[in-house]
């Protein structure tokens, strides 16, 4: 299945990629944070609504379809909106916000784990932006494929945020440990082994060490 064969392992592969520049590190960190939060959302759906792989797959498919349109707009040409020039990124965010406005919680705030050092402020806020976009895409998936309304989506996001806080607590002891806890959860949901591949890792994303 999509999740069994790709989602977790893609997160792991991106997590262990070599980071040769600041841009590479920022890009990897954004991707890793978004992917971890997606797994936190899946865990919330499993724990609170008893959803198995088949229903999670439906939500994932809808989210991925909307993600493709998001990326196309983001990578497209800028255009004028109400007389103001908007970049592809701004247009993509505007369109996604419009699509989920009726059910995505207006008070959703992705948590910053610790006060960042001055040099890391931009990186941390990029993490928040990436995870928030992922949350909106999966809210779209839950609404479109599962019929979830505003109240249910709000509860899922609250539970997912708590799952993320727990992940960060685990990851403080080392990224590998944090990912191992998530992999165990995904194994429980998917009924197949999900292992963390650490070969070649040279820099942690969430913790102080890779261990």
């Amino acid at each position: 299945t999509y999740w069994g064969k790709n989602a977790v392992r893609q997160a792991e592969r991106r997590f262990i990629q070599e980071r040769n520049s600041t841009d590479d590190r920022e890009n990897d960190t954004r991707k890793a944070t978004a992917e971890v939060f997606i797994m936190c959302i899946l865990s919330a759906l499993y724990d609170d609504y008893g959803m198995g792989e088949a229903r999670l797959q439906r939500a994932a498919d809808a989210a991925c379809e909307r993600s493709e349109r998001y990326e196309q707009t983001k990578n497209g040409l800028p255009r004028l909106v109400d007389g103001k020039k908007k970049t592809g990124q701004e247009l993509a965010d505007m369109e996604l916000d419009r699509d989920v406005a009726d059910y995505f919680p207006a008070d959703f705030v992705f948590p910053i784990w610790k006060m960042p050092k001055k040099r890391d402020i931009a990186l941390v806020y990029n993490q928040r932006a990436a995870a928030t976009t992922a949350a909106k895409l999966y809210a779209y998936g839950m609404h479109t494929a599962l019929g979830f309304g505003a109240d249910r989506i709000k509860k899922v996001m609250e539970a997912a945020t708590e799952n993320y806080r727990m992940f960060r607590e685990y990851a403080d002891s080392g990224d590998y440990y944090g990912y191992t806890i998530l992999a165990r959860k995904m194994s429980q949901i998917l009924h197949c082994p999900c292992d963390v591949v650490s070969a070649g890792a040279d820099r942690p994303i969430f913790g102080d060490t890779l261990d």
Side-chain angles (χ1 to χ4, degrees), residues 26-122:
E26 289 182 356
N27 190 47
D28 287 344
T29 300
R30 287 195 298 269
K31 288 180 178 178
T33 305
E35 287 163 344
V36 164
F37 196 65
I38 287 169
M39 286 186 274
C40 291
I41 291 172
L42 295 175
S43 295
L45 287 168
Y46 176 81
D47 289 337
D48 295 346
Y49 294 96
M51 289 192 182
E53 184 178 358
R55 296 184 73 193
L56 293 177
Q57 178 71 61
R58 288 166 53 197
D61 286 345
C64 288
E65 182 275 331
R66 186 61 185 82
S67 177
E68 290 175 2
R69 289 195 281 130
Y70 179 90
E71 290 296 322
Q72 288 173 358
T73 303
K74 186 181 77 170
N75 296 326
L77 296 174
R79 67 174 186 265
L80 292 177
V81 178
D82 296 329
K84 295 181 180 180
K85 187 176 182 180
K86 299 292 184 180
T87 66
Q89 178 72 70
E90 290 172 326
L91 292 168
D93 288 335
M94 287 173 56
E95 291 176 2
L96 181 59
D97 286 345
R98 180 195 63 208
D99 285 354
V100 302
D102 290 340
Y103 49 83
F104 189 78
D107 59 351
F108 175 82
V109 177
F110 183 76
I112 293 177
W113 177 243
K114 293 180 179 178
M115 287 300 295
K117 297 177 181 178
K118 187 175 181 180
R119 68 175 183 272
D120 293 328
I121 289 176

Side-chain angles (χ1 to χ4, degrees), residues 1-13:
T1 67
Y2 175 82
W3 284 107
K5 295 180 180 178
N6 293 305
V8 177
R9 287 175 176 80
Q10 283 179 3
E12 291 158 1
R13 290 191 188 103

Side-chain angles (χ1 to χ4, degrees), residues 58 62 103 139-148:
R58 288 166 53 197
Y103 49 83
Y140 177 91
M142 285 183 279
H143 178 74
T144 303
L146 305 176
F148 275 32

Side-chain angles (χ1 to χ4, degrees), residues 176-198:
Y176 182 84
Y177 183 58
Y179 269 95
T180 297
I181 299 300
L182 273 181
R184 289 176 183 170
K185 188 62 168 181
M186 297 307 296
S187 296
Q188 181 182 3
I189 295 171
L190 301 172
H191 305 293
C192 68
C194 295
D195 299 321
V196 180
V197 179
S198 59

